[in-house]
Amino acid sequence: PLEGTRSVRVLYLSPLRALAQQQSESLARDALELSALHPSPLAVTVAARTGDSDAAARAQLAKDPPSVLVLTPESLAVVLATRARESLACVHEIVLDEVHQLAAGERGALLASTLETLGYFLATRGTPRPRRIALSATAHPAELLARWIAGSREPAARVLVAEPARA
């Protein structure tokens, strides 16, 4: 997309449709609160795209993409296979929520392949590979998940462990 046009900047991947919808609603509320505190012509917009999205919502994604797109790994694969992939040409960050669930089994293999496909798509448009940010309260073993998150990147991902809050 041309400079100044709307494009998805952040992908937020969730393992479940219901969680994706919940996170989308929460992020949209947060974006509204931020824009009320700090008005800007470049308002942050949030939308969800899952298997439950109707045709109108899917068309809206291609026509007027949000700043933050919340979706499931399967929906990301579908978006990359359609013309809506152009809305992803400026993705800078990918948030992997509940990464321990996203990385598991065949689904993890599909997502790893999909993320590499997205990286290739962005490279063909001159966009740097997006930063991957993984979230999990139960990511074990953390170093193995860090290698999965990094994909074909070098160096591997850094692991930051938050200490539990003390009461």
Side-chain angles (χ1 to χ4, degrees):
L2 298 173
E3 195 62 37
T5 60
R6 297 255 318 244
S7 177
V8 175
R9 304 292 181 174
V10 177
L11 287 177
Y12 190 107
L13 296 174
S14 172
L16 304 169
R17 289 183 217 175
L19 184 56
Q21 192 60 44
Q22 180 184 22
Q23 290 295 48
S24 174
E25 291 166 5
S26 178
L27 290 168
R29 279 191 306 275
D30 292 344
L32 280 174
E33 289 177 19
L34 281 173
S35 66
L37 292 172
H38 304 284
S40 167
L42 301 174
V44 174
T45 56
V46 181
R49 165 68 162 90
T50 68
D52 294 335
S53 299
D54 60 23
R58 292 190 304 268
Q60 183 68 18
L61 170 62
K63 187 173 95 175
D64 188 23
S67 313
V68 179
L69 179 60
V70 183
L71 66 174
T72 61
E74 294 79 9
S75 292
L76 175 59
V78 170
V79 169
L80 281 170
T82 67
R83 281 189 250 168
R85 73 181 158 273
E86 293 303 325
S87 68
L88 305 179
C90 293
V91 169
H92 291 283
E93 278 87 27
I94 301 170
V95 178
L96 303 160
D97 195 5
E98 301 294 344
V99 68
H100 60 282
Q101 290 182 359
L102 293 174
E106 291 177 12
R107 190 174 197 208
L110 170 65
L111 179 55
S113 174
T114 301
L115 291 173
E116 291 302 316
T117 300
L118 175 61
Y120 176 78
F121 167 74
L122 294 170
T124 64
R125 278 144 182 81
T127 305
R129 292 177 67 110
R131 178 171 53 165
R132 296 178 186 177
I133 302 163
L135 308 174
S136 176
T138 57
H140 296 291
E143 287 71 26
L144 183 61
L145 279 169
R147 284 197 301 271
W148 181 86
I149 293 159
S152 64
R153 302 162 183 249
E154 290 297 329
R158 290 183 300 150
V159 176
L160 304 175
V161 177
E163 295 297 322
R166 293 191 175 129

